[in-house]
Structures are given as C-alpha cells and as structure tokens.
Amino acid sequence: MKKAVVYLNQFFGQIGGEDVADHAPEIREEKVGAAMLYDQLLDAEVTHTVICGDNFMGSNTEEAVEIILDFLKDVDFDIFFAGPAFQAGRYGMACGEIGKAVKEEFDVPVISSMNIENPGVEVFKKDIYIFPGGHSAAKMRDDVKKITDFGNKILNGEKLLPAEEEGYYKRGIRHQYFLEDETPAYERAIDMLLKKINGEEFESELPIPELDLVEIAPAIEDLSETTIALVTSGGIVPVDNPDKIQSASATRWGKYDISGMDRLENRDSNNFKTIHAGYDPAAADADPNVVVPVDAMRKYEEEGRIGKLHDYFYSTVGTGTTQKEAARMGKEIAQELQDANVQAVILTST
Amino acid sequence: MKLELGNFYVKDIEFGAKTAFDDGILTINKEEALEVVFKDNHITEADLRIVKPGDMVRLVPVKEAIEPRFRVGGGPVFPGVTGKLRQAGEGETRCLKDMSVLVVGKHWGGFQDGLIDMGGEGAKYTHFSSLKNVVLVADTDEEFEQREQQKKNHALRWAGMRLAEYLGEAVKDLEPEDTDTYELEPLTKRSKELDELPCVAIVMQPQSQMEEKGYNDLNYGWDTNRMLPTFMHPNEILDGAMISGSFMPCSSKWATYDFQNFPLIRRLYQEHGKTVNFVGVIMSNLNVALEQKERSAQFVAQMAKSLGVDAAIVTEEGYGNPDADYIGCLVALEDAGVKTVGVSNEATGRDGGSQPLVTLDPKADALVSTGNVSELIKLPPMDEVIGELEALARDGLSGGWEDDEILGSSVKEDGSIIMENNAMFCGDRIAGWSPKTMKEF
C-alpha cells in the first residue's frame, strides 16, 4: 500500500483555535482530524499527520519548514497533501510554503485545495497542484474528495489530463497534447477564424500571458571609471568548447579569460569560434570580435573612454534556448559580475 | 486561374522490371530510378528503399519529402528549380497520392534534418509515417559541409525532386481516379454573392533566415530571403511554385510535400463561396534583421488593406527569432483592421515553463498551437534504421545531442533514443495537419 502524509494547521489538527496559532510544528504517526477523511478516500494509507500553527509558519517560515523537512526525512511516503485551506489566507500560505518545500526536497506529488480568493493560490499554484475549494470548512468533504480523486489518479499511474480537465489552477506549464478527436490544426484555424469574423466567442489555444518586462536601467553618466563586461548569446567559445555549451537549446554558459588579449583571435588560428547553430557562422568564425567586440573595447580602454574591460567574457547560445533557462543563466552570470564589481554589461546577440 | 490536380491513389509500392502505375500499385525499376538520381555527379552512393505505415523502421537523418507528380503537357514540376521558369497553378498536374519521396542522408545529418519512425509509438509524431514512402538514401561529395552543422543538402534535395518527377511520369498517360479542381475568379471580376462574403487571405511566412544562398525556401527558384512580400495565387503553392529549404529545426519545417498539399489552403478553398471569399495568398518571409521584419509586416498589412481583406490566417515556418515576424505580422494586420488567426508551434521548454513565443502581444488573440518544439520524446529501438542513427547525436540535429549530464547521449547503445521534438521530421505539422495542441498541465 502506498503511503501519504497530510499537513494541517492547529485548528484542523485539533490543537485549538486562534489562541494556539503559535503552535510549533509537530508530527504524529497517526491520522488526526481531517487526515482520517483523507485515509478513507485515498488508495493509500495516511501514515503521518504534520500539524503546525498558522502564525508559527507565518512568522518563522524558514524554521518551520526546516523542522518539518527534518521530521519527514526518515518517513517513507509517496504523496503529500496540505489543507484544504478554504479562504483562510495564512493557512493557504502555510500549505503553499510547506508544499513547495516538500516537493523540492522529496520530489513527491503535492496537492492542496484553496478558495480562489486565498492569496496562497497566486503565490504557489506554479509550485504545487492547487484545486479550487470552498469558502469554509462546510466544504471539507467536497474539497478533500476532489484532491484525493486526483491523488488516486497519480498513485495508480493513470494518464493525467490537462489542468482544465483535471480541475486544478493553471500553472503556466504548457505541454503538447494530442487531441482525443485528432481535429487537425487546419480545422481548428478555420473554425476560429469564422467565429472571429462572425463576432462569436472563440478560445485561443495560446492565451497571451502577462509579460515579464524588465525596466531599462538608468544610463551611466561617466564611463571612464566603469568596468564593463562583455556577455553574449552568440556562442563564441574557445575552439575546443571546453564547457560543452550546446549549439541550440543551451543550458550551459562559459566564462573565458581575455586579460592581456587585444582582440579575439579566430578559428583558423585555433583560438575562438562560434558554436551557435542559429546563424551563418562564417563571419564570426573569421573574426569573433564581430560578436564579442574585444578589439573595440580595448580601443575605448586605451582612449580612456571606459575604465576597464572585465577580464572575462561570458558566453552561451541563444537559439532555441528557453526563456526560463535563459533567465537562470542570466541570473548566474549577473551574480558573478556583481561579485567581481562589474558596473555595466554590453550584451551582444547574433 | 484553374488548376486540376489529378489523383492517383497509391495502395502499394514495389520494385519491378518497369516503372509503371497499375491499379493502385506503383512499380519502380530501381536501376532506372537510380540513374536519375546519379545524374548529378555529386551523388556518390545511393539506394532506394520502400517503407510503409507500421514498418518497424526508423529513418534518420531525413532531409526532405516530396510528392511525385507529372505536369500534363510537359514542363518541370518545380518551375525555376527543376526546369525552366513557367507559370504554376494553371492546367493539369497529376499526383501520386498517399505516398512521398523521402530523402535520407546515408551518413551525415545536420541542424535542419529530422527523424521518422514508420511504426510503433513514434509513428504518431509525423504525417509521413501515414504514407507509403520511396526512400532515397544517399551520400554526396559535398565535403565542404559534411562536418558543418548547417547543411544546404543541395545534391540530395535536388536528387529527391528529380526522383519525384521521374516517378510522376508513371501516370503520364493515365486517367486519374478523381480530380480536385481549384479555381478562383479574378479579384475584380467576382460575383456579387462572393463580394458580400468576408474576404479572407492566407499569409504564409516561409523560412528565409539565412543570408547565404542555398538554405532558404525558394519561390520559383528565387531565394525567399531576397523577396518582399508578394501576392500569389493559392494554386501556385499547390502546384510546385514553392520548395522547402534546409535550415529550420525540423519539427517546424514545411517540406516541399507540405507546400504541394498545404492543408490550410485546401481547407480555405472548401469555404470559398460558402462562408468566405478566398482572396489568395500573401507570401511573406522570415528574415533576421528587425527592419526586414518590420518592412515585411508593413507590406503584408498594406496588401491586405489594398485587397480589402477582412480576415487572415497567418502561419509561420519556424520558431524563435521568426516569432517576432509572426507576432509582428499579426499585430500589423490587426492594426489595419484585419481579423487574424495565427497557426504555429510553441517553445515552452522541456519542463513546459518557458514563454511560448519569443514575442507576445495581446492583439494576437486567436492562435492555434501545433506543438512544443522542446518536448522530450523517448522511443524504443526499431528493427531497422535507414540512414545512420548516430547522426541524431553526432551531427547537431536541432533535437539531438551528443552528451547531457542527466540524459546522456540522444542515441543509446541498444538503439533507443531520447530527443527533443525539434528533430521530429515536420513533427509540428504547421501546414495544418497537426492533431496536437498545447495545454496547461
């Protein structure tokens, strides 16, 4: 039999009400309160109940999470439930915090239930499965039924359907999906077009998400004191590509020492080349400075127009590289640059 | 312009003494067919194979797919490419249906090449596993690009077209089983009934990102990188005016077969006179510089306005950088008062968490999604590989890799594979066949 662990707050864990909301985390090797309902509905045994006061989790999040993860490290479980939290904001945030941490630490499915008004939904729906729930504990049975039904599908290895069919809040995670009726794209396109022409309702298959735009930083007034780094997504690397950066869909980046170099020497002289598969490499292989302009920067350095060119340039490949990987690599590189006291970056693409 | 496409439904293909089509059976004289292939001295080795739906055969690296055809009265099937320039889209062309010529490298693959499984679990990922295919598997002396990731594949692609024309001649003197007639009245001479229907155009954005010649889709032999958006009759597309190039990650590709059959065009024809007045095709392109993108979008919007287009389908052969052209074109049309629907694939990453297109705009409010280029696909070994399986890992196919910390190589010792959808041959069927969409999970 598979095993489940349930997280409840002080109230549903039968410790008490608001007066004991500071209750420190505890774990019990039994089914407490709502955990009994879970046990009835699940194709798994609830072996442990974790209980924590909402205020304790809210004010000492790090400590609470650490304590609970420590409880769980010797517990053998296949699935983790938190809540239902209904419309209770602190409880919802607590379910999210601990759910996210358990997911990351133990890589088991984590499922919760919250009312749409619960702030926990917006914050944590990307991290764990959260199902829409009722306003209050009157909906306890319905809400637990919903999430245990879904939990059972996972436990039994059944095929999971898209979010809108399973019913959990959409998480911004998009995968390709073979339509059951195999309606080809041309039928869907004509259908959508006719609806749009006729002013009928239609549903885009790609609803445009909110854009994550970064504000442009204020200009630097005096460059003569500034250390500037060159960072590229143009795939310029030493000819042996020591960091094995992929030619497309990159997940790796490299940093290469250019101290003492007046310019980047080219592929023919066995120095630098591009491994980027998304553009014609001829010009960059012949002269890598067209992508990473070390030559021009040295000139500026000599003329005193900039303080200093940073001793390393950073490189990855932009083609096919997902925005998420790009953001991660960008953060990692930015951290290095900050640690090295670089004040400005010239980002070159292809 | 009136085009009659005469259909000969191929039920089976076999090798025999004489190349002929009889009662649904295409017989091929292999020796004679290979002579056609070897007409180009750059072809050093070549063989023909026949594969059918359900065969446990894996093809890789696949470079091109072409429908064999014969132009009645003579003349090249691909004007300006396999012969002299002439008008396509008028007259009669005979087509061998339910089959294609697939061109496979005997050894070397590249960024733009893909994979087809004819049977098993992998067959669902591509249209070509549902066809009977004559596979040209060959090698060339184009050593300058053998170790290059980007290949023009010129000798192989042209050999495929010659072969398709050669096979098409088998139905030269035969009557087709049935005929699809495609005809649009001249724009200014349409009936009142037609004029009252909403005017619809299809805007096509074929792949044209390479500055150097030899990689891009060709329009009557002309490099699409060097053209401005132009107005075309849909019949021209269906009748060999456009051929595929050799550049885009493969799941996003429109093979020449796709142009010849373009389902979105054929489907719009069905609506013509019923629900829409099908104006025609605005043939745009996908270039890399921002000004080129803006110029193309401006031309497309201007043409749509001048033609009185009320609504348009915009479709893009590619993803990544070209998404800017795709969204830019949709926005330019919406700004011109044209109601748009877009058809393309997405790149949400292996975990599905990334932004789906490089640029997004709320005005692109009606999009059809045909797949995720970066979806991971694991497939078991097949009984036979035609081509070279190692190419998937070794040669920089857009969906393959030599080494990965967690996943290892794309090609496993037992012949099983793990790859991104990127390397599935025309896997996202953007021309319109895709039974896939994108869903939130």
Side-chain angles (χ1 to χ4, degrees):
Chain A
M1 188 108 178
K2 299 249 168 102
K3 297 188 177 73
V5 173
V6 174
Y7 173 91
L8 301 172
N9 72 356
Q10 78 283 354
F11 182 74
F12 293 100
Q14 296 178 343
I15 308 288
E18 193 57 32
D19 53 321
V20 288
D22 287 327
H23 189 78
E26 61 168 307
I27 186 164
R28 294 198 203 158
E29 203 174 338
E30 59 177 320
K31 303 167 239 311
V32 182
M36 287 198 272
L37 182 57
Y38 277 100
D39 192 69
Q40 280 168 27
L41 296 170
L42 268 181
D43 299 339
E45 185 193 352
V46 176
T47 59
H48 296 74
T49 311
V50 175
I51 304 165
C52 177
D54 284 337
N55 283 354
F56 191 94
M57 181 63 90
S59 348
N60 317 287
T61 312
E62 232 170 276
E63 188 190 349
V65 167
E66 201 176 306
I67 296 171
I68 296 170
L69 292 183
D70 194 54
F71 287 156
L72 292 173
K73 72 176 195 292
D74 297 321
V75 176
D76 173 29
F77 63 110
D78 304 285
I79 196 163
F80 188 87
F81 292 91
F86 312 108
Q87 208 173 334
R90 280 174 306 161
Y91 190 16
M93 292 299 287
C95 289
E97 291 285 4
I98 193 59
K100 181 181 178 202
V102 166
K103 175 95 192 61
E104 279 167 8
E105 184 74 18
F106 303 105
D107 196 26
V108 295
V110 174
I111 313 174
S112 184
S113 162
M114 299 177 202
N115 183 266
I116 181 97
E117 304 291 332
N118 195 313
V121 174
E122 226 19 68
V123 182
F124 294 105
K125 68 180 178 187
K126 273 197 156 100
D127 305 300
I128 60 171
Y129 293 112
I130 305 176
F131 281 72
H135 290 282
S136 69
K139 289 284 178 194
M140 173 67 90
R141 201 177 170 85
D142 291 351
D143 290 356
V144 174
K145 175 86 170 70
K146 257 197 256 178
I147 60 179
T148 50
D149 281 351
F150 184 64
N152 285 338
K153 280 185 91 168
I154 297 178
L155 290 168
N156 297 325
E158 286 173 43
K159 187 185 167 191
L160 302 182
L161 301 175
E164 59 195 6
E165 287 173 61
E166 295 292 357
Y168 54 83
Y169 293 110
K170 288 182 181 175
R171 305 186 294 166
I173 294 174
R174 295 171 65 75
H175 284 290
Q176 65 179 28
Y177 184 73
F178 285 82
L179 291 162
E180 310 291 331
D181 58 9
E182 298 182 346
T183 307
Y186 65 81
E187 290 290 357
R188 282 137 56 200
I190 301 291
D191 184 56
M192 204 182 285
L193 189 74
L194 293 177
K195 282 182 172 154
K196 193 166 172 179
I197 289 172
N198 296 329
E200 294 164 31
E201 267 193 39
F202 59 89
E203 207 175 320
S204 179
E205 295 180 14
L206 169 49
I208 300 298
E210 263 176 57
L211 300 181
D212 184 15
L213 295 176
V214 178
E215 265 186 60
I216 296 171
I220 296 170
E221 306 262 318
D222 179 14
L223 289 174
S224 69
E225 298 291 313
T226 306
T227 301
I228 300 177
L230 291 171
V231 178
T232 188
S233 63
I236 302 294
V237 295
V239 285
D240 60 345
N241 188 12
D243 295 298
K244 291 187 177 159
I245 298 170
Q246 302 92 331
S247 294
S249 304
T251 58
R252 289 191 279 261
W253 53 268
K255 71 188 262 203
Y256 306 110
D257 193 345
I258 47 172
S259 54
M261 288 183 200
D262 288 336
R263 51 184 288 111
L264 296 182
E265 296 302 334
N266 67 11
R267 182 179 180 174
D268 283 347
S269 65
N270 217 23
N271 284 286
F272 291 93
K273 66 168 185 182
T274 183
I275 46 145
H276 192 296
Y279 68 100
D280 186 341
D285 281 350
D287 180 5
N289 298 280
V290 299
V291 178
V292 179
V294 173
D295 54 354
M297 295 299 283
R298 289 291 182 222
K299 203 88 185 159
Y300 282 155
E301 213 175 33
E302 211 176 286
E303 291 169 5
R305 291 175 67 176
I306 63 168
K308 183 181 177 337
L309 175 63
H310 185 49
D311 285 342
Y312 298 88
F313 80 90
Y314 289 77
S315 181
T316 186
V317 162
T319 192
T321 300
T322 62
Q323 166 258 339
K324 194 173 161 186
E325 284 298 321
R328 175 188 55 77
M329 292 192 278
K331 277 182 193 154
E332 289 167 5
I333 294 169
Q335 187 63 55
E336 290 226 355
L337 294 173
Q338 276 186 335
D339 293 348
N341 256 326
V342 171
Q343 289 109 25
V345 169
I346 294 175
L347 190 60
T348 61
S349 61
T350 55
Chain B
M1 257 168 106
K2 183 176 172 185
L3 172 68
E4 289 181 300
L5 292 176
N7 299 317
F8 295 80
Y9 298 96
V10 177
K11 295 187 191 71
D12 206 358
I13 307 173
E14 56 191 29
F15 292 118
K18 187 170 179 294
T19 297
F21 182 81
D22 183 28
D23 198 21
I25 313 293
L26 176 66
T27 307
I28 302 169
N29 177 330
K30 193 169 172 176
E31 208 179 316
E32 196 178 276
L34 282 171
E35 275 174 29
V36 173
V37 169
F38 278 113
K39 272 186 185 162
D40 179 351
N41 292 334
H42 292 292
I43 304 284
T44 52
E45 283 182 84
D47 192 15
L48 295 183
R49 299 289 305 275
I50 295 164
V51 296
K52 298 165 195 172
D55 288 355
M56 295 306 275
V57 177
R58 176 163 291 154
L59 310 171
V60 66
V62 186
K63 294 164 188 292
E64 174 62 306
I66 307 145
E67 185 172 272
R69 290 186 172 184
F70 173 74
R71 189 176 294 286
V72 176
V77 171
F78 304 103
V81 177
T82 53
K84 279 192 180 159
L85 197 60
R86 57 159 287 161
Q87 184 65 53
E90 251 178 348
E92 189 186 347
T93 296
R94 296 187 174 152
C95 316
L96 289 167
K97 305 306 291 184
D98 302 330
M99 73 164 292
S100 80
V101 167
L102 293 177
V103 182
V104 177
K106 189 172 169 68
H107 301 294
W108 306 103
F111 188 63
Q112 66 290 319
D113 299 341
L115 177 142
I116 296 173
D117 272 5
M118 289 302 297
E121 191 192 329
K124 71 177 177 190
Y125 289 105
T126 157
H127 183 69
F128 297 93
S129 59
S130 69
L131 304 177
K132 279 126 308 206
N133 299 298
V134 174
V135 183
L136 166 63
V137 51
D139 200 10
T140 79
D141 67 357
E142 293 157 310
E143 280 165 20
F144 71 97
E145 67 175 15
Q146 233 159 42
R147 306 275 173 159
E148 293 298 323
Q149 194 168 13
Q150 297 287 3
K151 292 184 173 60
K152 297 179 182 179
N153 286 316
H154 182 90
L156 290 173
R157 292 193 290 134
W158 263 249
M161 286 186 278
R162 282 198 304 281
L163 182 58
E165 287 188 331
Y166 166 79
L167 295 175
E169 282 184 28
V171 295
K172 184 162 116 183
D173 300 318
L174 303 178
E175 280 304 307
E177 253 177 79
D178 57 40
T179 299
D180 295 323
T181 303
Y182 294 104
E183 185 173 18
L184 290 180
E185 307 75 353
L187 277 173
T188 54
K189 306 271 190 295
R190 292 194 176 176
S191 67
K192 190 163 165 284
E193 290 74 29
L194 269 177
D195 281 343
E196 278 169 2
L197 293 169
C199 284
V200 173
I202 173 161
V203 180
M204 295 173 66
Q205 299 181 306
Q207 186 47 242
S208 65
Q209 283 184 276
M210 289 297 263
E211 294 293 333
E212 191 184 330
K213 284 186 181 176
Y215 297 98
N216 297 320
D217 293 0
L218 300 180
N219 189 345
Y220 286 102
W222 186 256
D223 194 311
T224 46
N225 181 284
R226 269 106 171 140
M227 64 174 250
L228 290 170
T230 193
F231 183 62
M232 290 180 79
H233 196 291
N235 291 0
E236 297 181 278
I237 322 304
L238 298 179
D239 193 32
M242 299 288 300
I243 68 151
S244 181
S246 184
F247 172 66
M248 199 60 211
C250 214
S251 77
S252 305
K253 181 187 179 74
W254 291 338
T256 295
Y257 179 97
D258 293 340
F259 280 115
Q260 293 173 297
N261 287 282
F262 219 80
L264 279 165
I265 291 180
R266 291 188 184 231
R267 185 64 185 79
L268 261 182
Y269 250 117
Q270 288 176 12
E271 294 299 321
H272 180 62
K274 290 182 200 153
T275 59
V276 306
N277 179 4
F278 186 12
V279 172
V281 176
I282 299 174
M283 186 61 70
S284 187
N285 52 8
L286 297 167
N287 289 358
V288 286
L290 185 60
E291 197 178 79
Q292 294 172 330
K293 295 174 192 292
E294 287 171 350
R295 185 182 295 113
S296 285
Q298 185 178 303
F299 262 92
V300 169
Q302 175 275 123
M303 255 184 267
K305 277 195 280 192
S306 300
L307 292 165
V309 169
D310 300 304
I313 290 178
V314 179
T315 183
E316 153 199 42
E317 183 191 5
Y319 77 96
N321 179 296
D323 291 343
D325 307 62
Y326 175 57
I327 292 295
C329 187
L330 286 163
V331 170
L333 285 168
E334 288 283 341
D335 285 344
V338 179
K339 291 176 174 164
T340 57
V341 166
V343 181
S344 192
N345 54 3
E346 300 182 21
T348 61
R350 292 174 186 175
D351 66 1
S354 285
Q355 183 173 308
L357 301 173
V358 164
T359 56
L360 296 169
D361 193 295
K363 286 176 185 160
D365 65 353
L367 302 176
V368 170
S369 283
T370 61
N372 173 20
V373 299
S374 30
E375 204 79 33
L376 271 184
I377 297 173
K378 270 190 197 179
L379 293 169
M382 297 288 267
D383 296 347
E384 195 193 348
V385 173
I386 295 178
E388 195 164 284
L389 188 59
E390 195 49 42
L392 174 64
R394 181 195 61 209
D395 298 346
L397 268 71
S398 50
W401 53 86
E402 223 167 348
D403 195 23
D404 180 281
E405 292 92 338
I406 301 156
L407 303 171
S409 167
S410 273
V411 177
K412 309 296 178 194
E413 269 180 26
D414 67 352
S416 63
I417 56 171
I418 181 163
M419 57 178 245
E420 281 189 2
N421 177 42
N422 259 320
M424 196 55 80
F425 186 76
C426 300
D428 290 326
R429 286 172 263 190
I430 299 172
W433 280 297
S434 183
K436 291 186 294 185
T437 184
M438 294 289 288
K439 293 273 192 187
E440 295 251 356
F441 282 88

